[in-house]
Amino acid sequence: MKKPNARDRILETAGELFFQRGYSGVGINEIIDKAGTAKASFYQHFPSKESLCEAWLQEMHDRSIDYHAQLLDSGMPPRDMAAAYFTRLADFLQAGDFRGCPYSNTGAVSDENCCGIVRLIRLHKESTRDFFRRIATRAISDEARAAAIGDRLFVLYSGASSEAQNLKCLWPVEVARDAAVELLG
Amino acid sequence: MKKPNARDRILETAGELFFQRGYSGVGINEIIDKAGTAKASFYQHFPSKESLCEAWLQEMHDRSIDYHAQLLDSGMPPRDMAAAYFTRLADFLQAGDFRGCPYSNTGAVSDENCCGIVRLIRLHKESTRDFFRRIATRAISDEARAAAIGDRLFVLYSGASSEAQNLKCLWPVEVARDAAVELLG
DNA sequence: AGATAAACAGACAGACTTGTCTGTAAAGAT
DNA sequence: ATCTTTACAGACAAGTCTGTCTGTTTATCT
């Protein structure tokens, strides 16, 4: 019987619900019901729904940073790294019912005054761009060309997530993976 | 003094607001206020908010079909067609305060039971994919290869819109355009 | 002029939302 | 044993939302 503290239960439950139905599609009442906590407990740990969202994005971002570092340290050739990344993306999307990128989805419903959320989205996106640039740098000697190819991989990755969500299918990810392999091969 | 009928005013106002702040971020009361109509008039023309959204998506889709046909009939070489398309996308995003793709943004907040909306999003995305495949077919003789490159252009296009929105900048579109030119050149 | 259609104004219902508040129960620490 | 922290339960405020309703005004057509 897992019984972590209330904060962790809230964060985990909110993460699942936010991912599945979007930040604006889930209310606090549902979160605390499913997490089995009282509303007062919620507001003891999070000053607002927005700050809960920030904690969720931050947690995913931390995990993403770990994964990027792990992949870059794996010793694989860059082409295989990119292929592994896209294969994992395909698994992730399929497992999550093609809900796409949580950051982009959250960004689509948060206006400019949610500056904490917007900041985290931008942070994560820039860090993912940087990850792809690092991969490209290992495959391409010309520095400027490597940066351009890295950005290209990043754009392909984003489009693959987005269209897999819209079309509820996997081919955009496969297309992006093939393109990435060609660009790095 | 333009004074179209109430339905047109509602549709135009809703279009601007949906685009700017997202489908779920705009209420009917605001729409009818800004359109200068009564609520009863709204429900005389649209049975629900969802059907208003469908009318909006349909209208944009029709315009998009026209633009695609016009571009394909322009007599430009395929590489220039794609370049023109991405340049226009950049203008569109900049003019609209980097709000990204209305279809993807709407898809991010509509669940599966909004089946009319989901259908239109899928329709539009498939039609855009088809547009890129047609461009690729004119530049690449091998049929299978052309289809694959067309899909790649489509994924680049989607990623460019999405990341231009997230990062509030234009470089993803420029990256996608350069990649498209390379793929077709 | 009289009939018909369309748009007007706006109250209202019912169900949601976030966030605050009061009070209670169960732990662990000194 | 008492004190403090943490969590529980849930009512409540104040506002939002969509959609329905009654009734009035304006315009067009015959």
Side-chain angles (χ1 to χ4, degrees):
Chain A
M1 212 64 65
K2 64 136 192 267
K3 188 90 198 249
N5 62 44
R7 200 195 124 99
D8 291 349
R9 260 180 303 152
I10 290 170
L11 194 49
E12 189 186 329
T13 307
E16 287 164 14
L17 292 172
F18 283 163
F19 175 64
Q20 207 71 28
R21 306 217 309 277
Y23 172 60
S24 66
V26 182
I28 288 194
N29 292 318
E30 185 181 358
I31 292 172
I32 59 170
D33 280 0
K34 297 231 162 94
T37 67
K39 191 173 274 197
S41 308
F42 174 89
Y43 281 100
Q44 213 145 19
H45 292 291
F46 302 97
S48 65
K49 185 191 178 190
E50 196 177 320
S51 85
L52 168 66
C53 182
E54 289 171 24
W56 169 56
L57 294 175
Q58 182 69 56
E59 196 199 27
M60 283 192 302
H61 178 65
D62 292 344
R63 277 207 290 270
S64 152
I65 291 285
D66 283 352
Y67 175 61
H68 289 167
Q70 176 193 324
L71 209 54
L72 285 169
D73 284 351
S74 69
M76 290 169 119
R79 211 197 41 188
D80 295 355
M81 267 187 213
Y85 189 86
F86 280 102
T87 299
R88 186 182 154 117
L89 173 64
D91 293 344
F92 169 79
L93 289 171
Q94 197 158 41
D97 208 23
F98 298 99
R99 276 297 306 171
C101 170
Y103 297 89
S104 296
N105 286 340
T106 305
V109 295
S110 37
D111 35 26
E112 287 311 305
N113 47 5
C114 300
C115 52
I117 290 175
V118 168
R119 206 196 84 250
L120 279 166
I121 293 170
R122 236 163 274 189
L123 182 74
H124 173 77
K125 291 293 185 179
E126 288 289 3
S127 126
T128 305
R129 176 197 192 189
D130 190 60
F131 165 72
F132 282 116
R133 281 188 165 205
R134 275 175 211 271
I135 291 186
T137 302
R138 299 200 188 174
I140 295 152
S141 53
D142 180 275
E143 204 175 328
R145 177 72 183 166
I149 298 299
D151 287 350
R152 224 167 269 196
L153 297 178
F154 173 64
V155 172
L156 282 164
Y157 151 76
S158 172
S161 305
S162 178
E163 296 313 322
Q165 174 176 20
N166 287 324
L167 300 168
K168 301 280 177 225
C169 62
L170 232 44
W171 67 256
V173 184
E174 286 153 11
V175 163
R177 190 196 51 213
D178 293 349
V181 168
E182 258 186 56
L183 284 168
L184 296 171
Chain B
M1 215 66 64
K2 66 137 190 269
K3 185 91 198 247
N5 62 44
R7 199 195 123 99
D8 291 349
R9 258 179 303 155
I10 290 169
L11 194 49
E12 189 187 328
T13 307
E16 288 164 13
L17 293 172
F18 284 163
F19 176 65
Q20 207 71 28
R21 306 216 310 276
Y23 172 59
S24 66
V26 182
I28 289 194
N29 292 319
E30 185 180 358
I31 292 171
I32 59 171
D33 279 0
K34 296 230 163 96
T37 67
K39 192 174 272 197
S41 309
F42 173 90
Y43 281 100
Q44 213 146 18
H45 292 290
F46 301 97
S48 64
K49 185 190 178 190
E50 196 176 322
S51 86
L52 169 66
C53 182
E54 288 171 26
W56 170 56
L57 294 175
Q58 182 70 56
E59 197 199 25
M60 281 192 302
H61 177 65
D62 292 344
R63 276 207 290 269
S64 153
I65 292 284
D66 284 350
Y67 175 60
H68 291 168
Q70 176 193 324
L71 210 52
L72 285 168
D73 283 350
S74 70
M76 291 170 119
R79 208 196 45 188
D80 294 355
M81 268 187 214
Y85 189 88
F86 281 102
T87 300
R88 186 183 155 115
L89 174 64
D91 292 344
F92 168 78
L93 290 171
Q94 198 159 40
D97 208 23
F98 298 99
R99 276 297 307 171
C101 170
Y103 297 89
S104 296
N105 286 340
T106 305
V109 295
S110 37
D111 34 28
E112 287 310 304
N113 47 6
C114 300
C115 52
I117 291 175
V118 168
R119 206 196 86 249
L120 280 166
I121 292 170
R122 237 164 271 188
L123 182 75
H124 174 77
K125 291 294 185 178
E126 288 290 3
S127 126
T128 305
R129 177 198 192 188
D130 189 60
F131 165 72
F132 281 115
R133 281 189 165 205
R134 275 175 211 273
I135 291 186
T137 302
R138 300 200 187 175
I140 295 152
S141 53
D142 181 275
E143 206 175 326
R145 178 71 183 165
I149 297 300
D151 287 350
R152 222 167 270 195
L153 297 178
F154 173 63
V155 172
L156 282 165
Y157 151 76
S158 172
S161 305
S162 179
E163 297 313 323
Q165 175 177 20
N166 286 324
L167 300 168
K168 301 279 177 226
C169 61
L170 232 44
W171 66 255
V173 184
E174 286 153 11
V175 163
R177 190 196 52 212
D178 293 349
V181 167
E182 256 185 58
L183 284 169
L184 296 171

